[in-house]
């Protein structure tokens, strides 16, 4: 298979990377330093990811949210007291350039498809490449994270910005366990706007668009779904704007259950001056700054008084896959983890088999499958769409049976 076909498999298994390209185009629209240079290097001078936002106000509202997060997070990272920033996911933003200029070491962690693009671009735009590194990882796969950080010393400022909303409850539990493990090994803190990201969108749009804000938010959501409809929004860390008090407590309890504690800082008190203000009226700026009193970023640290619940990821064997075309059936056996790093391999195998002969069905032996993420489920759904009822998942263990049934798969009982 060609490199192009392999990247296509990665893109289908992990379509969320498309939203990261939208973010860098919005940063360029907000006149964030170096954003336009990255956009040019990506070949996105026409801002193609923004073209389905036909209402200029929707672009403006999104650019306001994105610039607020970018500049505020950069400020908090520099004031964290840590010399090393671990950005998860790093996306295509110029954060690496900004923080390395400030004397920090930057470690960008993201899907391989993102890292393969952004790493050479950032290297071409900086003279401080020794302080910047990128690694392709899966956030649910601690071994991939541990390997990326194996030569890192000193406390970490871990940042997750625009990531947690893409995980279901089980994946979020694993990711937070992994972040705790990073803090236990290296020390430091975790900064994230993710629990209240929906609130930040809602309050930002309402402050500048008033009675039209709900319609413009709906248009923004529709644009995002057209690009990559993969957000989960169903894990306990995401605050529900319709039930803020209860869901906030649920989110804090979730962090506490992992042996960590939360300090919330009011966004209005930490927003630097924004370039996007030049596109707003003075009244809109005042309304926005007032509205951000109701939004918080979370600073999370280890809690020495709490022991984490027994919710660590079960260790699995390394990924292995065997496949063949037998009697015009695509037969596969999978072992270990099927995640963002490995799921594209299954899709690549499927595409390779199809070039010989289109199978009439597929049988996937899950007896040795130890862990599966949304990326793995997504590839199974691609096969199901192609084969309909002629996709069979066999030897599914009890821990995964419920998940597969929820996703619409038929799971025969274990023999």
């Amino acid at each position: 298979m060609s490199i192009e076909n392999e990247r296509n498999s990665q893109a289908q298994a992990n379509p969320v990377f498309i939203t990261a390209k939208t973010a860098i185009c919005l940063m360029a629209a907000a006149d964030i330093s170096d954003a336009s240079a990255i956009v040019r290097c990506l070949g996105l001078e026409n801002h193609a990811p923004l073209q389905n936002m036909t209402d200029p106000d929707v672009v403006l509202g999104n650019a306001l949210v994105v610039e607020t997060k970018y500049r505020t997070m950069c400020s908090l990272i520099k004031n964290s007291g840590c010399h090393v920033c671990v950005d998860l996911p790093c996306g295509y933003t110029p954060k690496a350039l900004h923080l390395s200029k400030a004397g920090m070491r930057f470690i960008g962690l993201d899907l391989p498809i993102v890292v393969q693009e952004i790493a050479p671009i950032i290297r071409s735009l900086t003279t401080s490449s020794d302080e910047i590194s990128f690694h392709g990882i899966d956030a649910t796969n601690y071994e991939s994270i541990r390997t990326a950080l194996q030569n890192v010393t000193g406390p970490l400022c871990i940042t997750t910005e625009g990531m947690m909303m893409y995980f279901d409850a089980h994946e979020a539990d694993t990711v937070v366990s992994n972040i705790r493990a990073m803090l236990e090994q290296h020390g430091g803190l975790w900064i994230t706007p993710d629990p209240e990201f929906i609130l930040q969108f809602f309050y930002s749009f309402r402050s500048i668009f008033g009675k039209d804000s709900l319609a413009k938010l709906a248009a923004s959501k529709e644009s995002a779904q057209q690009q990559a409809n993969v957000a989960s929004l169903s894990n306990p860390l995401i605050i529900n704007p319709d039930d803020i008090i209860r869901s906030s407590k649920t989110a804090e309890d979730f962090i506490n259950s992992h042996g960590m504690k939360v300090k919330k800082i009011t966004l209005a008190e930490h927003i630097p001056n924004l370039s996007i203000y030049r596109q707003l009226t003075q009244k809109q700026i005042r309304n926005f700054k007032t509205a951000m009193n109701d939004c918080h970023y979370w600073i999370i640290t280890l809690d020495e008084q709490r022991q984490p619940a027994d919710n660590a990821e079960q260790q699995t064997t390394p990924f292995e896959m065997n496949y063949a075309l037998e009697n015009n059936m695509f037969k596969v056996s999978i072992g270990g983890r099927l995640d963002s790093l490995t799921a594209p391999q299954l899709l690549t195998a499927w595409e390779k088999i199809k070039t010989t002969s289109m199978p009439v069905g597929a049988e996937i032996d899950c007896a040795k499958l130890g862990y599966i993420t949304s990326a793995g489920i997504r590839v199974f759904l691609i096969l199901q769409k192609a084969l309909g009822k002629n996709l069979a998942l066999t030897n599914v263990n009890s821990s995964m049976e419920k998940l597969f049934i929820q996703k619409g798969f038929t799971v025969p009982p274990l023999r």
Side-chain angles (χ1 to χ4, degrees):
M1 296 291 283
S2 68
I3 293 176
E4 181 180 351
N5 287 336
E6 290 177 1
R7 283 183 58 80
N8 184 56
S9 292
Q10 289 188 45
Q12 290 185 73
N14 303 301
V16 67
F17 85 98
I18 299 171
T19 65
K21 291 189 172 180
T22 301
I24 188 60
C25 289
L26 289 167
M27 290 181 187
D31 199 26
I32 290 175
S33 179
D34 295 313
S36 292
I38 294 173
V39 165
R40 286 195 299 273
C41 291
L42 289 168
L44 297 175
E45 296 96 327
N46 63 351
H47 287 193
L50 306 184
Q51 289 180 2
N52 63 342
M53 296 184 187
T54 55
D55 183 347
D57 282 347
V58 173
V59 176
L60 176 64
N62 277 271
L64 174 62
V65 173
V66 166
E67 186 186 5
T68 301
K69 286 198 295 183
Y70 176 80
R71 295 199 189 279
T72 304
M73 288 293 285
C74 284
S75 176
L76 293 173
I77 294 165
K78 288 188 291 185
N79 293 324
S80 68
C82 300
H83 175 67
V84 181
C85 172
V86 176
D87 198 25
L88 173 66
C90 60
Y92 299 93
T93 79
K95 197 179 292 177
L97 300 172
H98 180 80
L99 295 177
S100 63
K101 289 175 185 176
M104 294 189 69
R105 181 176 179 185
F106 179 89
I107 302 172
L109 307 181
D110 211 316
L111 298 167
I113 193 171
V114 175
V115 168
Q116 289 161 9
E117 283 191 302
I118 193 59
I121 290 173
I122 294 298
R123 282 197 293 268
S124 73
L125 296 174
T126 183
T127 58
S128 304
S129 57
D130 290 345
E131 295 300 315
I132 300 172
S133 62
F134 294 92
H135 305 270
I137 60 97
D138 181 297
T140 69
N141 184 333
Y142 187 69
E143 182 60 25
S144 70
I145 297 172
R146 188 195 65 76
T147 300
L149 301 181
Q150 61 185 344
N151 296 320
V152 177
T153 59
L156 310 178
C157 179
I158 302 167
T159 56
T160 61
E161 178 186 342
M163 179 179 76
M164 295 306 301
M165 65 285 297
Y166 292 105
F167 297 122
D168 62 23
H170 179 58
E171 290 172 306
D173 191 66
T174 303
V175 171
V176 175
S177 290
N178 289 346
I179 291 174
R180 177 189 164 83
M182 294 164 67
L183 294 177
E184 285 183 317
Q185 182 174 356
H186 297 276
L189 69 163
W190 170 24
I191 306 176
T192 180
D194 286 359
E196 301 190 25
F197 91 99
I198 300 177
L199 298 182
Q200 186 178 343
F201 263 97
F202 177 76
Y203 292 138
S204 296
F205 271 63
R206 188 175 67 178
S207 69
I208 62 174
F209 300 129
K211 61 182 177 60
D212 296 326
S213 60
L214 290 179
K216 295 184 186 301
L217 276 168
S220 178
K221 180 179 179 181
E222 181 180 355
S223 296
Q225 290 176 333
Q226 288 174 3
Q227 290 183 335
N229 189 16
V230 294
S232 174
L233 306 182
S234 61
N235 73 63
L237 193 59
I238 304 302
I239 293 175
N240 180 355
D242 295 326
D243 193 0
I244 294 175
I245 294 176
R246 185 196 61 79
S247 60
S248 294
K249 184 178 186 307
T250 297
E252 280 200 67
D253 289 346
F254 180 63
I255 295 297
N256 295 158
S257 74
H258 287 268
M260 296 186 285
K261 56 186 176 182
V262 176
K263 175 185 176 183
K264 299 179 185 180
I265 59 172
T266 304
L267 186 50
E269 298 175 0
H270 295 273
I271 302 175
N273 193 44
L274 303 179
S275 301
I276 203 77
Y277 287 163
R278 294 196 293 267
Q279 301 180 46
L280 302 178
T281 67
Q282 288 301 309
K283 181 179 179 181
Q284 286 175 318
I285 295 171
R286 287 194 302 271
N287 289 345
F288 170 70
K289 290 181 176 179
T290 299
M292 292 303 97
N293 281 300
D294 294 321
C295 288
H296 307 87
Y297 283 10
W298 291 28
I299 300 179
I300 300 167
T301 53
L302 294 177
D303 188 345
E304 302 300 334
Q305 305 302 313
R306 294 179 184 270
Q307 291 297 318
D310 185 18
N311 50 13
E313 173 192 347
Q314 181 182 357
Q315 294 299 311
T316 58
T317 57
F319 174 74
E320 60 176 333
M321 179 179 67
N322 295 293
Y323 67 93
L325 186 64
E326 298 180 7
N327 299 321
N328 216 21
M329 287 285 292
F330 179 48
K331 292 197 173 184
V332 189
S333 64
I334 298 175
R337 296 176 53 95
L338 193 65
D339 58 21
S340 295
L341 302 179
T342 57
Q345 296 181 43
L346 173 57
L347 194 56
T348 297
W350 166 247
E351 295 295 336
K352 183 178 180 179
I353 285 290
K354 286 198 303 179
T355 62
T356 303
S357 175
M358 180 63 188
V360 297
E363 182 178 299
I364 302 178
D365 185 346
C366 301
K368 296 181 180 179
L369 180 62
Y371 190 90
I372 188 167
T373 68
S374 297
I377 293 291
R378 200 170 293 121
V379 172
F380 281 5
L381 289 172
I382 290 171
L383 295 180
Q384 185 181 63
K385 183 177 181 180
L387 298 169
K389 294 181 179 180
N390 293 324
L391 171 67
L393 306 181
T394 63
N395 299 317
V396 176
N397 64 50
S398 57
S399 65
M400 294 187 188
E401 181 178 7
K402 182 178 179 181
L403 172 63
F404 286 147
I405 292 173
Q406 287 176 341
K407 299 297 183 180
F409 297 103
T410 301
V411 179
L414 285 172
R415 293 191 292 269

